[in-house]
Amino acid sequence: MKRIGQSYDGRSIFQNISFDIQKEDRIAIVGPNGSGKSTLIKVLTGQEAPESGEVTWERGVGYAYFNQMWDELDHKDTVSHAVNVYGLGLDAPRKKVNKFLAMLQFSEMDLSKTIGSLSGGQQARVALAKCLLSGAAVIILDEPTNHLDLTSIQVMEQALIHFPGAVVTVSHDRFFIDKIATKMLTFDPELGITEQNV
Ligand SMILES: Nc1ncnc2c1ncn2[C@@H]1O[C@H](COP(=O)(O)OP(=O)(O)OP(=O)(O)O)[C@@H](O)[C@H]1O
Ligand SMILES: [Mg+2]
């Protein structure tokens, strides 16, 4: 992202934000409510055009957007089917995909349940599974641990720590950030945006 600025109705949300995403980065975007974190994610994922600056994705580099993946889950589909017919899951033997789902704490019985009948934490883990199998080099998440049970948070932490690409996540969850982040991008009303390694 190069010198990105965004404003709504003439009100500047942020200006002049630049940062790179490199392989294996785990970037946490932090800052107070309303400071513009979700807006930055919308610009990063192309849901919104920035007022100034540019977002450039290197050729062949794709991203998976966890929140959108969750929103777009087919509630009538089963856990096993949804994951087996998606991305890298398509070519992998069913047994292997189901083993991967077991790692994400799905029981044998969960696999045949419809996604609509799952808890929020279980749905989040299906969305995460699809992000991991999407072939994307970057996984982008906006407050993924909100309302999640401890098991789902721990599963998510481990999966993101071991993901071979890069992770960009907005979060207010101190423990989650401490576990996964290697870089912080802090929105501060006084100081503007600062980047630091952690
Ligand atoms: N489409 C829009 N039109 C007008 N104003 C908007 C729009 N989207 C966001 N805003 C405003 O932009 C500011 C930043 O919002 P944003 O959702 O990015 O904050 P945030 O840092 O993600 O906050 P939170 O931590 O509460 O999720 C807020 O003042 C919000 O009201
Ligand atoms: Mg937000």
Side-chain angles (χ1 to χ4, degrees):
M1 299 189 93
K2 212 164 163 190
R3 292 198 290 275
I4 298 290
Q6 187 65 310
S7 23
Y8 294 121
D9 315 316
R11 186 170 68 97
S12 170
I13 307 298
F14 50 71
Q15 290 304 321
N16 209 18
I17 297 197
S18 301
F19 68 94
D20 292 324
I21 305 170
Q22 306 284 352
K23 194 170 190 271
E24 292 177 20
D25 273 352
R26 270 88 182 101
I27 301 174
I29 301 175
V30 301
N33 292 127
S35 55
K37 305 178 300 296
S38 295
T39 300
L40 188 69
I41 295 289
K42 284 179 201 150
V43 171
L44 178 61
T45 55
Q47 286 175 285
E48 269 183 24
E51 183 188 53
S52 53
E54 55 185 316
V55 181
T56 317
W57 289 94
E58 214 165 281
R59 198 214 288 251
V61 171
Y63 63 81
Y65 183 18
F66 167 78
N67 306 71
Q68 186 180 15
M69 200 66 97
W70 188 344
D71 287 342
E72 290 176 358
L73 289 177
D74 177 358
H75 284 211
K76 292 193 222 66
D77 204 0
T78 63
V79 173
S80 175
H81 184 260
V83 176
N84 269 286
V85 299
Y86 184 77
L88 306 173
L90 265 173
D91 289 328
R94 201 175 185 87
K95 227 174 154 177
K96 208 168 167 186
V97 175
N98 288 349
K99 206 167 158 194
F100 166 72
L101 284 167
M103 267 178 4
L104 297 178
Q105 299 299 314
F106 287 103
S107 69
E108 194 92 29
M109 250 173 64
D110 292 333
L111 299 185
S112 56
K113 288 183 181 161
T114 58
I115 289 170
S117 71
L118 301 177
S119 71
Q122 289 171 319
Q123 288 185 359
R125 280 183 273 130
V126 175
L128 180 67
K130 290 184 73 175
C131 289
L132 295 167
L133 293 177
S134 68
V138 185
I139 299 180
I140 300 170
L141 313 91
D142 193 352
E143 304 202 32
T145 63
N146 274 8
H147 314 298
L148 290 194
D149 57 288
L150 192 60
T151 301
S152 297
I153 293 176
Q154 287 170 341
V155 163
M156 180 170 281
E157 285 168 353
Q158 289 310 311
L160 294 178
I161 287 169
H162 294 106
F163 178 63
V167 174
V168 180
T169 182
V170 173
S171 186
H172 289 287
D173 180 343
R174 236 318 119 194
F175 297 103
F176 178 68
I177 294 167
D178 284 347
K179 273 267 166 61
I180 70 154
T182 58
K183 274 188 192 171
M184 299 253 274
L185 203 62
T186 308
F187 280 65
D188 184 297
E190 244 100 274
L191 302 170
I193 281 97
T194 53
E195 187 181 324
Q196 65 193 122
N197 294 321
V198 290

